[in-house]
């Protein structure tokens, strides 16, 4: 995702800036005995002129707010509408005369983490962004566990409610930061893997985990915020990026678009590392993909203090080659709470490059060294002493955890090697290599 107040360079992506919702200020003439057209039709006529469309539909939910148009003077009205071809549908109407900006919501619906961005649709600017944990993790760290939970009793309803509640929590936090109301959000775009998309839509996921592994729906259409209980303006259109089968979802499709695969002459490689990992190799004429579990190893499955990439997570580590003393950076500048995947990769590399571990992953520090402690799992390197952490416990990486991380890295490398070899290539033939997701955002 983009940093706040960062322009979205759609031109560089080979795309144009075509926001999901347009806005305009129109002057609606007053009704009279000579022109007694209905209030909704009067407004629709002026909006159609502003957007150069043949027809504008006014939802019944908005028609009740048109009382101010029944006067003796022209009324200045701010309107936001969803344009599709030669037609449009009103999303929001404000007859107060207040100047407004059309805000949109973009959500990366991750299995572990939700990333929400507030977008100025008129300017193409990401103006606020937040990250929070997906509340569904309380019912299972991985998709398969949640899929089985969804099949028990009211499990599906619980997971759907948790996910939508988490997104709504993020919406309210974004609006608080910007000093606006959720009602000011007139459009939403959401992308997630196929399972997360199904949970978002309230659909069962049993068909995703059983042969022949088919989704209930690949391309959700014609959805409004009120359909999913999301706290945008009720008529706000929702664009949910399409899936491509059970293991390639809208988040991957979004990554391929941004990475320019559809225009690439030479092969590119995209790796999206989250709770699951998806790999796609290809260019404008062909694509080959693979998917598998990988992320949990980097989000808590390796290090005892492992965590998702959120506030307080160590995402950058450096070790002085002369003194062996480490320095670190946390997301949000908070006191260290744990270490996320990119921090683990940094720490792993820095330990080796500094000679603090050998080629087998064994610590070279002598017993009694202040950076070496003995744990139930054997020797461990102390990255952050207890007195410097947010929770009063040291942040460490043991030899056992290093071994697991090594195996995880080998597994990821095997996936990449297999995909590349499947088309008769080697890594030298890859023109560009993209790493997506929160992991890709922070990795060195």
């Amino acid at each position: 995702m983009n940093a706040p107040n960062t322009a979205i360079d759609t031109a560089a992506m080979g795309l144009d800036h075509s926001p999901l919702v347009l806005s305009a200020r129109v002057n609606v003439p007053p009704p009279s005995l000579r022109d007694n057209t209905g209030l909704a039709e009067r407004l629709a006529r002026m909006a159609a002129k502003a957007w150069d469309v043949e027809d504008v539909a006014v939802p019944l939910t908005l028609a009740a707010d048109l009382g101010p148009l029944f006067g003796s003077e022209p009324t200045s009205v701010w309107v936001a509408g969803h344009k599709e071809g030669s037609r449009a549908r009103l999303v929001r109407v404000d007859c107060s005369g207040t100047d407004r900006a059309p805000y949109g919501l973009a959500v990366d619906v991750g299995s572990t983490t939700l990333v929400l961005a507030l977008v100025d649709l008129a300017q193409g600017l990401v103006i606020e962004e937040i990250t929070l944990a997906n509340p569904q993790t309380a019912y299972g760290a991985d998709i398969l566990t949640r899929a089985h939970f969804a099949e028990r009793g009211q499990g599906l309803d619980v997971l759907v409610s948790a996910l939508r509640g988490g997104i709504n929590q993020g919406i309210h936090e974004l609006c608080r930061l910007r000093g606006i109301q959720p009602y000011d959000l007139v459009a939403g775009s959401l992308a997630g893997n196929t399972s997360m998309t199904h949970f978002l839509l309230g659909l069962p996921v049993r068909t995703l985990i059983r042969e022949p592994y088919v989704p209930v729906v690949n391309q959700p259409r014609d959805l409004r915020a009120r359909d999913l209980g999301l706290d945008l303006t009720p008529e706000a259109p929702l664009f949910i990026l399409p899936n491509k089968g059970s293991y390639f979802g809208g988040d991957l499709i979004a990554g391929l678009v941004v990475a320019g695969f559809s225009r690439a002459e030479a092969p590119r490689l995209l790796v999206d590392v989250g709770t699951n990992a998806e790999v796609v190799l290809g260019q404008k004429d062909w694509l080959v993909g693979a998917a598998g579990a990988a992320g949990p190893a980097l989000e808590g499955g390796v290090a005892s203090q492992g965590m998702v990439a959120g506030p307080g997570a160590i995402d950058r580590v450096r070790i002085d080659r002369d003194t062996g003393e480490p320095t670190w950076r946390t997301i949000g500048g908070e006191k260290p709470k744990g270490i996320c995947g990119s921090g683990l990769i940094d720490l792993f590399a820095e330990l080796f490059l500094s000679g603090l571990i050998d080629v087998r992953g064994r610590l070279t520090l002598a017993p009694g060294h202040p950076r070496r402690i003995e744990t139930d799992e054997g020797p461990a390197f102390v990255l952050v002493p207890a007195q410097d952490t947010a929770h009063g416990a040291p942040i460490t990486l043991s030899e056992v955890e290093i071994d697991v991380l090594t195996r995880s890295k080998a597994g990821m490398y095997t996936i990449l090697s297999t995909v590349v070899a499947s088309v008769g290539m080697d890594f030298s033939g890859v023109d560009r290599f993209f790493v997506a997701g929160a992991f890709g955002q922070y990795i060195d």
Side-chain angles (χ1 to χ4, degrees), residues 32 83 93 402 417:
S32 65
K83 180 182 176 182
V93 175
I402 291 171
S417 300

Side-chain angles (χ1 to χ4, degrees), residues 217-277:
V217 61
N218 269 328
Q219 289 186 284
R221 298 179 185 273
D222 302 322
L223 289 169
R224 308 281 163 186
R226 54 180 164 79
D227 297 329
L228 301 187
L230 298 185
D231 291 344
L232 294 76
T233 196
E235 293 293 336
L238 299 179
F239 177 64
I240 299 178
L241 274 82
N243 310 309
K244 182 61 177 175
S246 293
Y247 296 100
F248 293 97
D251 51 353
L252 191 67
I253 301 300
L256 294 173
V257 171
V258 172
F261 274 65
S262 61
R263 303 176 306 283
E265 297 289 342
R268 299 181 172 192
L269 190 62
L270 171 69
V271 182
D272 187 352
V273 184
T275 302
N276 298 297

Side-chain angles (χ1 to χ4, degrees), residues 94 105 113 334:
D94 189 333
L105 174 74
T113 306
E334 297 185 10

Side-chain angles (χ1 to χ4, degrees), residues 20 33 72 96 124 146 159 180 186 257 259 268 272 349 417:
L20 194 58
L33 290 175
S72 58
S96 68
R146 293 180 216 174
L159 290 171
I180 62 175
V186 295
V257 171
R268 299 181 172 192
D272 187 352
S417 300

